[in-house]
Amino acid sequence: MDFKKGTPVTVQSFHYDLTDEKAVAKSDVKPGIRKLDVSGDDTHSEEDGSYYDVAVFFDVIPEPVEFEVSGAIHQIVQIKGYHGDGTDIDNADWQLLSRPLVEYIETLTYEVTQVTFDKPVNLNFKANF
């Protein structure tokens, strides 16, 4: 799959909380895709492929259970030669599309925990698709 980034990665929301003793570790990372209608936009042509809002929604409590991060990160991309609705994109292509977004989750978590714990936490995970 070949794609062109239409926008930089956008952090729609990123939330960090210390957890209480009842919290349980989890790694809930869900990708999503939504086809965009650019028919009224003179600067974008769908001739080479349609435009999509690729998103990753996440709610993660890593081991050891000390904190939780959650939020949503997006990026607009044009998928070359593809005009479908996104439901038939295979796992390898999902990983290619979503990896830059997942890296933002890892980077933001690393930086926040560096400040809050004086020791960064590296999530270094892969989403399940």
Side-chain angles (χ1 to χ4, degrees), residues 29-49:
V29 180
K30 295 181 181 168
I33 191 167
R34 179 174 54 99
K35 188 173 184 177
L36 299 175
D37 180 10
V38 296
S39 59
D41 186 347
D42 294 336
T43 61
H44 296 93
S45 168
E46 290 190 328
E47 186 175 313
D48 293 335

Side-chain angles (χ1 to χ4, degrees), residues 7-126:
T7 64
V9 173
T10 302
V11 178
Q12 179 181 344
S13 63
F14 180 84
H15 192 80
Y16 166 89
D17 281 312
L18 292 176
T19 56
D20 61 25
E21 64 277 350
K22 297 175 189 173
V24 178
K26 64 180 172 178
S27 182
D28 186 14
V29 180
K30 295 181 181 168
I33 191 167
R34 179 174 54 99
K35 188 173 184 177
L36 299 175
D37 180 10
V38 296
S39 59
D41 186 347
D42 294 336
T43 61
H44 296 93
S45 168
E46 290 190 328
E47 186 175 313
D48 293 335
S50 295
Y51 287 83
Y52 299 86
D53 178 8
V54 177
V56 174
F57 305 93
F58 59 97
D59 190 3
V60 177
I61 301 175
E63 287 284 351
V65 177
E66 297 176 303
F67 67 92
E68 178 176 12
V69 291
S70 60
I73 298 180
H74 295 259
Q75 183 171 42
I76 305 299
V77 299
Q78 181 184 30
I79 302 176
K80 303 287 184 153
Y82 180 74
H83 297 281
D85 64 2
T87 58
D88 59 344
I89 295 175
D90 65 33
N91 287 349
D93 289 335
W94 262 118
Q95 289 179 8
L96 180 67
L97 286 169
S98 64
R99 187 62 199 160
L101 308 178
V102 171
E103 286 174 359
Y104 264 70
I105 299 167
E106 293 170 343
T107 301
L108 288 166
T109 302
Y110 184 93
E111 295 295 329
V112 168
T113 56
Q114 172 66 39
V115 171
T116 58
F117 296 128
D118 200 27
K119 181 183 94 179
V121 174
N122 189 353
L123 292 179
N124 200 17
F125 62 87
K126 291 185 179 179

